[in-house]
Amino acid sequence: LPLDERLKRRIIDGERGGLEADLDEALAAGRSALSIINDILLDGMKVVGELFGSGQMQLPFVLQSAEVMKAAVAYLEPHMEKTDDGGKGRIVLATVKGDVHDIGKNLVDIILSNNGYEVVNIGIKQPISAIIEAAETHNADVIGMSGLLVKSTVIMKENLEEMNTRGVAERWPVLLGGAALTRAYVEDDLRALYTGDVHYARDAFEGLSLMDRVMT
Ligand code: B1M
């Protein structure tokens, strides 16, 4: 198989052996770490999602694919271009209550960290009280929430309502992302109820450009 196809298959098959050698080969061929992630590996994860969604792949295998994806991203991270030092602003990042999906959130962390932001990544299954507490403690400029389940889109709505109730909405612009969200849901429905700023990021790069916009 050609290298791109081989790497993609590794994600789909959850095959970790020889992963580093293939990644090295892609880097040596002049591919950037980000292009390997975006153009090859994420394509593989997409197939995994389709196979799982259609009942052709069982959960333990999805987990294996996720592990290979994470290992690949960790291996590639040192090869990413880093601009500056975290002085552009601070964001608290979490996957919302009841949701364990963190590959996307961690990609957002890497992209923001490598582009001048300080990221306080508090992990998965975080209730809004913990997110607000971390934002207080770390004096965050922005709160970022990720969630992939349809259920998580409802949790995000409840979280924004809770922030309104606590009177902290004006303090923190919120960045939302994750596969089950739509731009319309965030920009029409959620924006109508949240008294602060709320933005939808389709991917980590839109997350970065939104951070740049919010912080200027
Ligand atoms: Co799950 N899972 N999963 N899963 N899983 C999905 C989300 C699903 C769509 C699969 C499917 O059915 N086709 C489906 C949800 C269906 C729904 O809600 N209607 C699903 C399900 C059902 C489940 C379980 C309920 C299965 C079960 O137990 N029966 C269970 C949930 C457990 C829970 O959360 N309570 C579950 C578990 C798992 C694993 C643990 C096996 C594993 C996660 C491992 C991990 O993350 N550590 C897993 C995986 C891997 C997936 C799929 C296949 C891939 C997700 C992924 O990592 N994508 C997924 C299928 C899919 O998404 N279509 C699926 C790659 C990642 C880079 O994309 O996270 O979308 P994503 O991030 C993108 C953008 O969304 C954006 O940037 C990233 C790209 O640059 N982004 C942000 C994300 N967050 C952002 C935040 C931002 C900005 C941008 O700012 C704050």
Side-chain angles (χ1 to χ4, degrees):
L1 284 179
L3 180 59
D4 285 25
E5 206 44 46
R6 214 157 69 221
L7 274 166
K8 192 175 152 185
R9 284 272 24 131
R10 285 190 180 287
I11 301 293
I12 299 168
D13 298 341
E15 176 58 59
R16 204 185 174 303
L19 174 70
E20 284 83 356
D22 279 354
L23 293 174
D24 282 340
E25 196 180 325
L27 290 167
R31 295 294 286 258
S32 74
L34 275 179
S35 137
I36 298 172
I37 293 175
N38 282 319
D39 305 332
I40 307 175
L41 305 178
L42 284 184
D43 242 23
M45 280 312 283
K46 211 171 136 218
V47 174
V48 171
E50 286 160 7
L51 290 173
F52 180 55
S54 63
Q56 291 169 271
M57 192 187 230
Q58 298 304 311
L59 199 62
F61 296 98
V62 179
L63 194 54
Q64 274 182 28
S65 296
E67 292 304 325
V68 177
M69 180 74 201
K70 284 186 161 195
V73 171
Y75 189 75
L76 290 171
E77 193 185 350
H79 296 277
M80 285 181 203
E81 248 178 73
K82 206 173 159 81
T83 54
D84 43 300
D85 58 348
K88 274 161 73 178
R90 191 175 299 133
I91 179 169
V92 161
L93 207 56
T95 299
V96 299
K97 186 174 78 176
D99 195 326
V100 303
H101 297 88
D102 67 354
I103 295 176
K105 166 181 69 63
N106 293 342
L107 265 183
V108 173
D109 180 345
I110 290 171
I111 301 296
L112 293 181
S113 305
N114 284 342
N115 285 280
Y117 290 99
E118 192 185 321
V119 179
V120 182
N121 185 341
I122 62 169
I124 59 171
K125 297 207 263 185
Q126 293 297 320
I128 186 62
S129 54
I131 297 173
I132 292 175
E133 196 183 313
E136 294 270 6
T137 309
H138 297 279
N139 196 18
D141 300 300
V142 177
I143 286 177
M145 301 182 211
S146 178
L148 265 67
L149 302 170
V150 169
K151 192 176 77 178
S152 299
T153 64
V154 179
I155 301 280
M156 286 176 185
K157 175 172 177 280
E158 291 168 3
N159 287 353
L160 296 178
E161 284 166 345
E162 176 68 17
M163 289 177 72
N164 282 342
T165 307
R166 293 202 193 188
V168 297
E170 274 74 22
R171 181 156 172 208
W172 288 299
V174 175
L175 204 62
L176 300 176
L181 282 174
T182 62
R183 186 173 299 280
Y185 177 67
V186 176
E187 294 183 354
D188 301 339
D189 303 10
L190 299 186
R191 218 167 252 175
L193 72 89
Y194 190 53
T195 59
D197 277 343
V198 57
H199 303 277
Y200 168 74
R202 185 188 61 246
D203 56 29
F205 297 100
E206 191 175 3
L208 174 61
S209 59
L210 284 168
M211 280 300 284
D212 287 345
R213 225 164 72 199
V214 168
M215 294 309 299
T216 50

